[in-house]
């Protein structure tokens, strides 16, 4: 079934046996010190037969870390923890990139000893997010708190963010990852600079779209000093308006991002452009054609795909590979289920971010 989805492909300098990509999924099973755990190694190894695993979002700097139980990649303990994960994935025959993440304005002060988070402009994210657990926490749902107005970043803040991406990329190599994916999507710091609604700066990092993309360009440059560009991906969501995001011209933004990705010759752009509403809204004005026109590298598409739609998109040249997020939660054997056209199991989202092994490593393979 689905011959295009299961055809091998070269993405950057990495040979993939199929075009099924495991999308990055925050599951918050690290220790409270943000160090990856043996349970995470088991979870990823269960899913290693896909073309490429993109890790859950992984913090590059404590200032960009605002998700209880999410992992980091900014100290030796984290590198050692991730090494156990990448070894397990490689032993199972897989390939894995680290998704490098800085949350910018979306970090609650609770994670920063009461300090304000940083952002391109003093505009709060819309909505609320999980606060760290109270001292008597024994598991279960975390308290929710609204996002706050961040402190507008000065040049030193920007330089620190850029440098932290370079250091995390170096750590990703030391931890045995096959490459890195720069998280430029979903309203986090790079996206906050890229999109016009959240970037009101009047310096060289704001205003016209090439300026708003300056932080991204600087980050790719420092990451490319540590990792072969053929092993660098970039994730973007230029049409997403969640958490108070918005851009005056997402098509022009996608085109500019494509040009920059092409200049550096990175392996792929991972575009979140849902083909049906679900985890995110379906965009009113899709940008895939503008991205393709400005970027000759591989495009991984994401958002509400199944095996049939993924196969059709690849056949039509609308994607080189397709990533699957929610389907991977309850289907460790997603590749086999899609190839054999078997039914998919439904995830229990109560355990998306809590629960230890429950709702994480205990989903069975298809038994017929
Ligand atoms: C539980 C959960 C955690 C997620 N964590 C991340 C993440 O860490 N990084 C990221 O870029 N996207 C994250 N996403 C978004 C997914 O990668 C993906 O874009 C989204 O689920 C849509 O794809 P799907 O329709 O195949 O699920 C997450 C989504 C879910 C449901």
């Amino acid at each position: 079934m689905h011959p295009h989805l299961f055809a091998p492909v070269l993405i950057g300098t990495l040979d993939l046996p199929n075009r099924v990509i495991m999308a990055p999924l925050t599951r918050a099973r690290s220790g409270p010190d943000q160090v990856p755990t043996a349970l995470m190694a088991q979870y990823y190894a269960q899913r290693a037969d896909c073309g490429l695993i993109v890790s859950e979002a992984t913090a590059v700097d404590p200032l960009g870390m605002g998700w209880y139980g999410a992992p980091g990649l900014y100290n030796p303990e984290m590198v050692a923890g991730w090494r156990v994960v990448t070894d397990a994935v490689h032993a199972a025959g897989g390939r894995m990139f680290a998704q490098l993440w800085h949350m910018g304005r979306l970090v609650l002060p609770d994670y920063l000893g009461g300090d304000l988070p940083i952002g391109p402009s003093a505009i709060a994210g819309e909505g609320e997010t999980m606060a760290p657990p109270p001292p008597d926490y024994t598991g279960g749902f975390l308290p929710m708190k609204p996002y706050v107005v961040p402190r507008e970043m000065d040049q030193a803040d920007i330089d620190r963010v850029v440098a932290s991406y370079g250091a995390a990329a170096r750590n990703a190599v030391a931890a045995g990852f096959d490459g890195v994916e720069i998280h430029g999507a979903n309203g986090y710091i790079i996206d906050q600079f890229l999109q016009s609604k959240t970037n009101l700066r009047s310096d060289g990092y704001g205003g016209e779209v090439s300026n708003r993309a300056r932080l991204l360009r600087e980050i790719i440059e420092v990451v490319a000093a540590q990792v072969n560009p053929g092993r660098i991906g970039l994730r973007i969501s230029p049409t997403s308006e969640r958490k108070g995001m918005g851009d005056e011209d997402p098509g022009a933004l996608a085109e500019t991002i494509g040009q920059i990705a092409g200049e550096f010759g990175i392996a792929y752009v991972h575009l979140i452009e849902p083909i049906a509403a679900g985890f995110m809204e379906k965009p009113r004005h899709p940008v895939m054609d503008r991205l393709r026109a400005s970027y000759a590298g591989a495009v991984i598409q994401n958002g509400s795909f199944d095996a049939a739609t993924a196969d059709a998109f690849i056949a039509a040249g609308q994607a080189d590979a397709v990533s699957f997020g929610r389907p991977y939660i309850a289907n460790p054997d997603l590749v086999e289920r899609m190839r054999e056209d078997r039914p998919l199991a439904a995830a229990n989202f109560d355990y998306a971010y809590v629960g230890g092994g429950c709702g994480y490593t205990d989903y069975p393979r298809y038994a017929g």
Side-chain angles (χ1 to χ4, degrees):
M1 298 293 292
H2 315 302
H4 302 95
L5 184 58
F6 291 101
V9 64
L10 179 71
I11 291 193
T13 61
L14 196 63
D15 274 312
L16 311 188
N18 60 60
R19 298 167 187 234
V20 176
I21 311 296
M22 181 177 169
L25 289 171
T26 292
R27 304 300 310 278
R29 263 67 173 192
S30 296
D33 48 4
Q34 265 70 60
V35 173
T37 54
L39 188 66
M40 289 165 61
Q42 188 192 347
Y43 161 81
Y44 282 115
Q46 288 173 339
R47 290 155 176 79
D49 59 349
C50 62
L52 176 66
I53 295 173
V54 182
S55 82
E56 62 207 277
T58 299
V60 297
D61 186 322
L63 281 189
M65 172 69 235
W67 199 299
Y68 181 75
L73 201 37
Y74 50 79
N75 68 33
E77 293 73 33
M78 292 165 178
V79 172
W82 275 121
R83 172 56 84 168
V84 175
V85 177
T86 61
D87 281 350
V89 167
H90 290 147
R95 295 139 297 279
M96 186 170 191
F97 277 23
Q99 192 187 45
L100 303 184
W101 183 46
H102 190 303
M103 294 173 66
R105 71 174 183 160
L106 297 183
V107 181
L108 294 176
D110 309 62
Y111 291 95
L112 301 172
D115 288 347
L116 290 179
I118 55 172
S121 302
I123 307 169
E126 281 172 18
E128 49 180 27
T129 190
M130 286 173 286
D136 56 349
Y137 181 69
T138 53
F141 293 114
L142 292 164
M144 300 295 284
K145 286 194 179 178
Y147 294 116
V148 302
V149 177
R151 176 170 67 75
E152 183 178 309
M153 291 162 71
D154 61 18
Q155 188 63 50
D157 295 317
I158 292 174
D159 293 346
R160 174 171 170 163
V161 169
V162 172
S164 67
Y165 268 90
R170 192 171 59 241
N171 286 341
V173 174
F177 284 102
D178 300 286
V180 298
E181 179 177 283
I182 296 167
H183 196 343
N186 295 352
Y188 295 113
I189 203 163
I190 295 173
D191 204 19
Q192 290 160 27
F193 273 81
L194 289 172
Q195 297 209 33
S196 57
K197 190 172 168 189
T198 46
N199 182 345
L200 305 182
R201 299 180 71 91
S202 53
D203 62 2
Y205 293 90
E208 60 188 66
V209 60
S210 60
N211 277 356
R212 284 184 273 123
R214 188 180 303 266
L215 178 72
L216 171 64
R217 179 188 286 279
E218 292 181 2
I219 286 173
I220 297 177
E221 201 172 348
V222 294
V223 170
Q226 304 296 334
V227 180
N228 179 327
R231 296 295 180 93
I232 299 174
L234 167 65
R235 193 165 216 224
I236 58 169
S237 57
T239 56
S240 172
E241 297 179 353
R242 296 176 82 217
K243 303 173 206 152
M245 299 306 297
D247 192 74
E248 62 201 10
D249 187 351
L253 180 55
E255 194 175 303
T256 300
I257 293 168
Q259 279 160 2
I260 294 170
E263 271 173 47
F264 286 95
I266 67 171
Y268 68 81
V269 175
H270 190 171
L271 175 67
I272 305 173
E273 187 163 89
I275 58 170
F279 185 69
M280 289 171 166
E281 290 313 299
K282 190 177 168 194
R284 276 166 296 173
H285 303 291
V287 300
M288 175 59 186
D289 290 346
R290 298 286 292 274
L291 177 64
R292 265 288 199 231
S294 68
Y295 173 65
V299 174
I300 300 172
Q301 283 254 33
N302 170 252
S304 300
F305 283 87
D306 60 17
T309 50
D311 193 71
F313 263 62
I314 295 167
Q318 282 288 303
D320 298 282
V322 171
S323 74
F324 299 86
R326 288 165 295 164
Y328 253 117
I329 292 178
N331 298 279
D333 53 343
L334 183 65
V335 164
E336 232 173 277
R337 290 197 197 218
M338 292 198 299
R339 193 167 45 214
E340 306 302 327
D341 235 12
R342 294 171 177 158
L344 300 191
N348 182 344
F349 286 92
D350 284 353
Y351 296 109
Y353 306 119
V354 292
C358 180
Y360 186 56
T361 46
D362 59 356
Y363 286 109
R365 302 178 68 86
Y366 183 73

